[in-house]
């Protein structure tokens, strides 16, 4: 089990990007959260199996209605007891 922060930049707001991340995260049994940043990027903290996080990131990079032109991934310490995935405003 790992926790990673992913910041997606490009055309990632107003295209259903956060909802798509949330849907995939829940299907992959990931926990964490996703939110829009003021600079137009989207930030997510994802916790779970590393292969599942990798799958989610690849899905988001290939999303047709969005365009990810920069991705930053940072490893974080895991959070014990986290049991859901949320979309933050």
């Amino acid at each position: 089990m790992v926790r990673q922060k992913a910041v997606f930049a490009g055309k990632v707001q107003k295209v259903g990007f956060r909802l798509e991340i949330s849907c995939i995260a829940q299907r992959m049994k990931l926990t964490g959260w996703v939110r829009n940043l003021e600079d137009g990027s989207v930030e997510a903290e994802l916790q779970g199996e590393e292969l599942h996080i990798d799958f989610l990131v690849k899905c988001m990079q290939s999303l047709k209605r969005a365009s990810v032109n920069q991705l930053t991934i940072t490893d974080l310490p895991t959070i014990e007891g986290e049991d859901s995935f949320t979309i933050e405003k």
Side-chain angles (χ1 to χ4, degrees), residues 4 7 13 21 31 41 65 69-70 72 80-82 84:
Q4 295 180 328
V7 179
Q13 289 190 12
I21 286 178
T31 61
S41 60
R65 65 182 178 272
N69 58 27
Q70 186 177 354
T72 307
E80 291 297 321
E82 186 177 66
S84 64

Side-chain angles (χ1 to χ4, degrees), residues 1-4 29-32 45-49 53 77-82 85:
M1 168 127 69
V2 299
R3 185 176 189 90
Q4 295 180 328
K29 308 238 184 300
L30 300 174
T31 61
E45 284 195 12
L46 307 157
Q47 181 168 296
E49 296 293 328
I53 294 173
T78 58
I79 296 177
E80 291 297 321
E82 186 177 66
F85 192 89

Side-chain angles (χ1 to χ4, degrees), residues 5-62:
K5 176 167 76 170
V7 179
F8 300 88
K11 183 185 164 202
V12 293
Q13 289 190 12
K14 297 184 176 39
V15 292
F17 203 81
R18 290 178 303 157
L19 182 60
E20 189 72 26
I21 286 178
S22 178
C23 290
I24 296 171
Q26 290 174 25
R27 277 200 308 260
M28 296 286 108
K29 308 238 184 300
L30 300 174
T31 61
W33 51 264
V34 62
R35 67 180 172 203
N36 285 340
L37 297 178
E38 287 186 16
D39 67 1
S41 60
V42 171
E43 175 184 47
E45 284 195 12
L46 307 157
Q47 181 168 296
E49 296 293 328
E50 192 166 10
L51 285 173
H52 293 169
I53 294 173
D54 291 345
F55 176 81
L56 180 146
V57 168
K58 283 181 178 49
C59 286
M60 299 316 295
Q61 288 177 301
S62 65

